[in-house]
Every structure is written in structure tokens, then in C-alpha cells.
């Protein structure tokens, strides 16, 4: 079984290399920059490679990696870069590989270097190793396996990041690959949390946008599977980004949901007591949990099962056996899609609130919540406690649900609802701005204008239905 597993993983790796190369060949290496902790990313990749290097009689040393090097990178692309450099070093090493990273804030760059103590690379070959399909031969004129695409893909990633790569080597003295990339890239959206507020009255006029809730704790992932090894496998791959909670069946999962503020559920289908489909239906029918993204894992591959899995309310359906990278991609896409919907709702004055509702239960919840807010614009008792009482939900439950759906606090949602109602009234062109200001619960027209402009990027007097 171990031999089968190693060879199937090798085949998967080779296929992925070919697919990556094909993408580069056809469209170039496209990247999407975001702020990332490079140190954590490099360390995570190194941890995955360490066991296989040890099995080959070698040792992987993570050296001089400074803490918290933050840079604008494409996380997936940089992971490919580090993985390919380590895979290349693993093939040619004698018994030692060293990976290091360093940043120079003054110069605006950071470096990642991977060194091995293997056979080295001749000067002539150093000019060829980044070409597709080129492979360095050993002393017996045999290749070390692979496709010869790894370093070509590395170079494509470096070029897409506007960086440089060089190799330092001589025959018999190993090789060192040094990648230099910029710490900052153009086109990276700045966090809304960087906006500075100075006047005292602006304390209640923060922009409600994705990222507005400042929570440094990791989100909670609930993994549900009756197979202990599968629980450990998934947990080990996600515990660096999530606080992982596990359950062995749907009933136990519901109990864990009542005691944790879960941000994501990954569940197997076939389990005793309560299976994954039953769990998903229970989650979707409960207003306290219905907003939580739900991914269903299953060995059932027939179309009927796929349809049943999606009809129960699951956001994604992943077939076993699955690649961890594929599962990570599905989770990433699911989270990013919800993030984009939240941003669109938050930044577009006339975008309805059901835009961010992932299912009918949450649509009904948000509609009811909005109606209560609009009916009480002039009510001095309008507050988080007031809303929680009217919605029949605890204060903490309301906070968690609104945070997951809109990524704003309940107070920020109240203000956003006021501003969106004001935008609707402005679009009708029946009232003056100062009248609308008081109609939606503001006591100062200047303060209203400031909040409206901060939220939507336009002054109330300049707003029309087609101005954004």
C-alpha cells in the first residue's frame, strides 16, 4: 500500500507539473497578489518535505528565516516555487538541504534560498536548467527522474512577481538557488483597516467592509468523519490556518456547533448515528448555523448522489480520494466568493442585502433583520441587544452570524442599513438631503454626508442610480 501510495502521489505530481507548464505556455503565469506571511508559507512547505528527505537519508535545515516577513505575493504560486526548489534539491543532494529567507525593508525586497550539497551544476548547464524539459545527468549519464519542468515553472513564478533568480554552483560542490522578489507589488487592495480617523465624531462612522471586524484569532473549522486517520489527515493540513474541532458523526457535530463559533464545516457523508447529508440539512434548517459554509466529502461518485449532496444545502461536493490541494482550493474559492459578495453589498449603495444570503434561511433572516432596523430608525433603543431580542437570538449568536454573513459588527450593519436606505431615497429624487438624513436616523447632515462618502466613495449630493 505504501508503494502504491508513493507512486500514485508521484504520478499526481507529474501531471500537475505538466498542467502548470501548459498554463504557462499558453497564457503566461497569472498571479493574484495579496498580503502574505512569507515566513509561515516557507516553513509550512519545508515541514511537508522534511519526512521524505529524511527517508532518503538527508536532513532539511530551515536556517535564518526571519519572523513575520510580509510581502505581496501569490500564495499558491510561491508555494509552487518553494516546492519545486526543494524537490529539485532533494533529487541531487548528498545528505543535506538548507532553506533560508531574508528581507531587506530598506531595499524593498526579500530572498528565498535553497542549497544542497550534491553533485553541483556545470557552468554550461547553468544556462540551460531553466529551459523546459532539460535535466542534469549524474556521473552515469542518467537523469534523476521528473519532467524537467520544475525550474522552468520556478522561473515563470519569479518573472510574474517581477523578481530575479540566480544559481551559484560548481561541479562537486552542490548548488544554491537564490530567488529575490519585491516586498510590494502594484494592484494590491489596501485593507480598509488602514484608514485613519481623526475627528472624535467619526468614531461611529467607520466604513463597513469586509475586514472591518478586527479579530486576530483563527477561525474554527469543524471536521466530521468517523475515520480517525481521515480526521488526523485533514486536521494536520489545516491546523496552521484554522482552530480545528473534530466530531465522529453528525450528532456529535451538532453538539460541537452549540459550543463553538464555527466558521467552516467539512464533513464525510457516510457515518453512523447521523450521516453528512442529515447533518447538512440540520445545519441549514437552524438559523443559528445556517450561514456556515458546508463542504461534503464522499466516496459516492454517481450523479444521483452528487445531486442529493448539493440539494441538501452543501456549498461544495468533493469526491474521495481527493487531493488536499484541491480541497484547499475549493475552500479558498468558497471563502473568496463570499468575500466578493460581501464587498459588493457593502460598497454598492443599491445592492440588496439578500446578495450575501447563501441560502433561503439566511435570506429570510437578513430580510427580517433589515425590516426591524428600518422600522426603528428613529427609536433611541435601537441597539445590538434590541435586535437580538427581536430576532430571538443571543447577543453573541447575532454577532457571530452577522460577522460570518457580512463581516461587520451588528452596530456597523445598523449604520450600513441607514446609509443604503438613504441611497434608495436619494435615487427616488423626492426629498432633500437634509430631510433624508433625519429620515434614516442621523442627527447631523454634515455627519451623514461624511459617513455616506466614506462608505460609498461619493457625496450624497453627487449620487444617482448610475453614478457608481
Amino acid at each position: 500500500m505504501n508503494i502504491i501510495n508513493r507512486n500514485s502521489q508521484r504520478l499526481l505530481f507529474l501531471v500537475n507539473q505538466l498542467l502548470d507548464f501548459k498554463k504557462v505556455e499558453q497564457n503566461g503565469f497569472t498571479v493574484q497578489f495579496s498580503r502574505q506571511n512569507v515566513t509561515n508559507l516557507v516553513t509550512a512547505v519545508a515541514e511537508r518535505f522534511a519526512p521524505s528527505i529524511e527517508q532518503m537519508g538527508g536532513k532539511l535545515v530551515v536556517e535564518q528565516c526571519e519572523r513575520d516577513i510580509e510581502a505581496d505575493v501569490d500564495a499558491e504560486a510561491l508555494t509552487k516555487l518553494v516546492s519545486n526548489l526543494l524537490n529539485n534539491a532533494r533529487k541531487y543532494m548528498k545528505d543535506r538541504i538548507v532553506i533560508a529567507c531574508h528581507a531587506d525593508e530598506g531595499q524593498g525586497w526579500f530572498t528565498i534560498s535553497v542549497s544542497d550539497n550534491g553533485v553541483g551544476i556545470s557552468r554550461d548547464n547553468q544556462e540551460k536548467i531553466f529551459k523546459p524539459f532539460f535535466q542534469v545527468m549524474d556521473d552515469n549519464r542518467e537523469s534523476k527522474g521528473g519532467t524537467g519542468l520544475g525550474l522552468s515553472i520556478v522561473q515563470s513564478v519569479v518573472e510574474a512577481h517581477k523578481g530575479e533568480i540566480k544559481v551559484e554552483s560548481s561541479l562537486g560542490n552542490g548548488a544554491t538557488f537564490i530567488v529575490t522578489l519585491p516586498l510590494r507589488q502594484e494592484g494590491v487592495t489596501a485593507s480598509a483597516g488602514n484608514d485613519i480617523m481623526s475627528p472624535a465624531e467619526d468614531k461611529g462612522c467607520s466604513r463597513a467592509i469586509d475586514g472591518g471586524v478586527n479579530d486576530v484569532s483563527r477561525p474554527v473549522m469543524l471536521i466530521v468523519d468517523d475515520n480517525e486517520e481521515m480526521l488526523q489527515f485533514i486536521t494536520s493540513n489545516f491546523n496552521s490556518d484554522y482552530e480545528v474541532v473534530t466530531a465522529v458523526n453528525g450528532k456529535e457535530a451538532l453538539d460541537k456547533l452549540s459550543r463553538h463559533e464555527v466558521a467552516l464545516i467539512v464533513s464525510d457523508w457516510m457515518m453512523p448515528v447521523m450521516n453528512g447529508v442529515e447533518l447538512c440539512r440540520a445545519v441549514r434548517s437552524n438559523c443559528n448555523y445556517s450561514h456556515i459554509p458546508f463542504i461534503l466529502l464522499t466516496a459516492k461518485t454517481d450523479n444521483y448522489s452528487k445531486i442529493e449532496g448539493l440539494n441538501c444545502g452543501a456549498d461544495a461536493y468533493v469526491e474521495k480520494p481527493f487531493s488536499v490541494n484541491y480541497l484547499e482550493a475549493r475552500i479558498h474559492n468558497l471563502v473568496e466568493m463570499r468575500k466578493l459578495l460581501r464587498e459588493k453589498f457593502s460598497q454598492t449603495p443599491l445592492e440588496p442585502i439578500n446578495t450575501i444570503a447563501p441560502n433561503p434561511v439566511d435570506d429570510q433572516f437578513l430580510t427580517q433583520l433589515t425590516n426591524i432596523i428600518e422600522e426603528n430608525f428613529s427609536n433611541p433603543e435601537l441597539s445590538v441587544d434590541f435586535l437580538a431580542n427581536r430576532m430571538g437570538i443571543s447577543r453573541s449568536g447575532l454577532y457571530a452570524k452577522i460577522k460570518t454573513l457580512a463581516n461587520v459588527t451588528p452596530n456597523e450593519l445598523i449604520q450600513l442599513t441607514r446609509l443604503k436606505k438613504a441611497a434608495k431615497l436619494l435615487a427616488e429624487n423626492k426629498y432633500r438631503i437634509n430631510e433624508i438624513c433625519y429620515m434614516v436616523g442621523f442627527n447631523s447632515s454634515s455627519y451623514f454626508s461624511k459617513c455616506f462618502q466614506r462608505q460609498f466613495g461619493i457625496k450624497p449630493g453627487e449620487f444617482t442610480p448610475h453614478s457608481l
Side-chain angles (χ1 to χ4, degrees):
M1 289 297 291
N2 287 331
I3 293 172
I4 293 171
N5 179 63
R6 285 196 298 271
N7 281 281
S8 64
Q9 291 299 318
R10 173 174 165 75
L11 285 172
L12 179 61
F13 176 78
L14 294 176
V15 170
N16 287 335
Q17 289 279 69
L18 289 169
L19 290 174
D20 285 337
F21 172 71
K22 194 64 177 178
K23 291 177 184 177
V24 173
E25 188 180 47
Q26 291 180 338
N27 307 312
F29 208 106
T30 57
V31 290
Q32 184 173 4
F33 297 120
S34 62
R35 200 83 180 135
Q36 298 288 335
N37 188 312
V38 174
T39 305
N40 290 346
L41 189 150
V42 170
T43 303
V45 177
E47 287 176 350
R48 291 201 297 269
F49 271 81
S52 62
I53 292 172
E54 290 176 1
Q55 287 178 358
M56 296 174 66
K59 182 179 181 180
L60 175 60
V61 179
V62 180
E63 187 177 89
Q64 298 176 348
C65 264
E66 300 172 4
R67 290 185 176 181
D68 299 328
I69 297 176
E70 292 193 347
D72 300 332
V73 298
D74 184 305
E76 182 179 355
L78 195 64
T79 298
K80 290 181 184 296
L81 180 150
V82 178
S83 298
N84 278 301
L85 287 178
L86 286 175
N87 186 59
N88 184 73
R90 180 174 57 183
K91 288 190 293 184
Y92 294 99
M93 71 169 185
K94 180 180 179 182
D95 57 12
R96 180 179 172 87
I97 297 173
V98 178
I99 182 169
C101 45
H102 169 72
D104 189 324
E105 292 283 352
Q107 296 295 323
W109 49 256
F110 71 96
T111 62
I112 298 173
S113 64
V114 176
S115 304
D116 67 76
N117 62 348
V119 296
I121 308 169
S122 69
R123 185 172 296 276
D124 290 341
N125 282 340
Q126 288 177 30
E127 300 176 0
K128 305 173 184 177
I129 54 177
F130 295 105
K131 294 180 180 180
F133 304 109
F134 180 81
Q135 294 176 287
V136 176
M137 302 295 179
D138 61 16
D139 295 338
N140 297 321
R141 305 299 298 169
E142 294 181 355
S143 76
K144 292 287 186 175
T147 60
L149 294 174
L151 292 179
S152 174
I153 292 172
V154 167
Q155 186 175 48
S156 297
V157 173
V158 171
E159 291 174 352
H161 282 74
K162 302 180 181 64
E164 297 179 350
I165 182 170
K166 64 178 181 179
V167 58
E168 297 176 351
S169 180
S170 60
L171 286 176
N173 294 310
T176 299
F177 289 83
I178 304 171
V179 174
T180 304
L181 301 178
L183 288 167
R184 304 287 182 270
Q185 299 283 355
E186 295 179 358
V188 179
T189 303
S191 170
N194 293 331
D195 293 339
I196 300 174
M197 306 290 288
S198 53
E201 69 171 359
D202 283 343
K203 287 182 179 178
C205 185
S206 60
R207 185 181 186 193
I209 187 172
D210 188 41
V213 178
N214 187 17
D215 185 2
V216 296
S217 62
R218 291 183 299 169
V220 177
M221 174 189 286
L222 174 59
I223 304 174
V224 193
D225 201 304
D226 60 329
N227 186 298
E228 183 65 29
E229 290 186 350
M230 182 60 70
L231 280 178
Q232 294 176 358
F233 173 71
I234 300 176
T235 298
S236 66
N237 281 280
F238 288 97
N239 59 8
S240 60
D241 298 317
Y242 291 87
E243 192 71 36
V244 177
V245 176
T246 62
V248 297
N249 57 61
K251 184 178 180 181
E252 184 180 342
L254 290 175
D255 178 62
K256 296 291 179 71
L257 279 171
S258 67
R259 294 188 279 120
H260 299 273
E261 291 185 4
V262 174
L264 177 71
I265 300 173
V266 178
S267 175
D268 188 26
W269 181 324
M270 301 179 68
M271 298 180 294
V273 185
M274 176 185 284
N275 64 36
V277 170
E278 293 169 336
L279 171 62
C280 187
R281 290 197 178 103
V283 168
R284 290 291 176 252
S285 63
N286 189 318
C287 185
N288 292 312
Y289 316 133
S290 57
H291 56 281
I292 301 174
F294 196 109
I295 295 180
L296 194 62
L297 306 177
T298 180
K300 295 185 175 183
T301 59
D302 59 283
N303 288 332
Y304 176 80
S305 296
K306 292 178 183 178
I307 293 170
E308 184 181 3
L310 294 175
N311 283 344
C312 75
D315 294 284
Y317 183 99
V318 177
E319 298 176 11
K320 292 180 178 180
F322 58 87
S323 159
V324 173
N325 291 336
Y326 177 74
L327 180 57
E328 288 176 345
R330 292 304 302 265
I331 291 174
H332 174 77
N333 290 342
L334 179 58
V335 171
E336 282 300 304
M337 182 59 68
R338 290 201 173 188
K339 178 182 176 182
L340 291 173
L341 291 175
R342 290 195 300 260
E343 289 179 347
K344 183 179 181 182
F345 164 70
S346 178
Q347 299 173 21
T348 308
L350 300 179
E351 192 72 18
I353 197 166
N354 59 10
T355 300
I356 58 175
N359 55 69
V361 174
D362 289 328
D363 190 349
Q364 182 180 355
F365 173 86
L366 290 171
T367 301
Q368 182 182 354
L369 184 66
T370 303
N371 290 339
I372 292 174
I373 295 174
E374 291 184 357
E375 292 168 1
N376 290 274
F377 278 155
S378 59
N379 187 346
E381 296 183 359
L382 180 58
S383 64
V384 180
D385 290 328
F386 178 86
L387 290 178
N389 184 57
R390 291 288 300 271
M391 294 296 295
I393 189 172
S394 67
R395 179 187 175 94
S396 60
L398 180 67
Y399 182 94
K401 191 169 184 70
I402 292 177
K403 177 186 174 183
T404 303
L405 286 172
N407 208 27
V408 295
T409 67
N411 279 325
E412 288 172 337
L413 183 63
I414 290 173
Q415 178 163 286
L416 182 55
T417 304
R418 294 183 193 273
L419 295 173
K420 281 185 167 286
K421 181 64 176 180
K424 289 182 180 179
L425 295 172
L426 286 169
E428 293 175 4
N429 202 25
K430 295 180 181 179
Y431 308 96
R432 290 177 296 181
I433 293 177
N434 61 341
E435 291 178 312
I436 293 174
C437 161
Y438 296 110
M439 291 171 68
V440 298
F442 283 86
N443 296 321
S444 165
S445 58
S446 61
Y447 179 58
F448 162 70
S449 296
K450 185 178 295 185
C451 290
F452 192 94
Q453 184 175 8
R454 175 167 289 277
Q455 184 66 41
F456 301 127
I458 190 171
K459 296 179 180 179
E462 300 171 350
F463 174 72
T464 66
H466 306 290
S467 59
L468 293 177

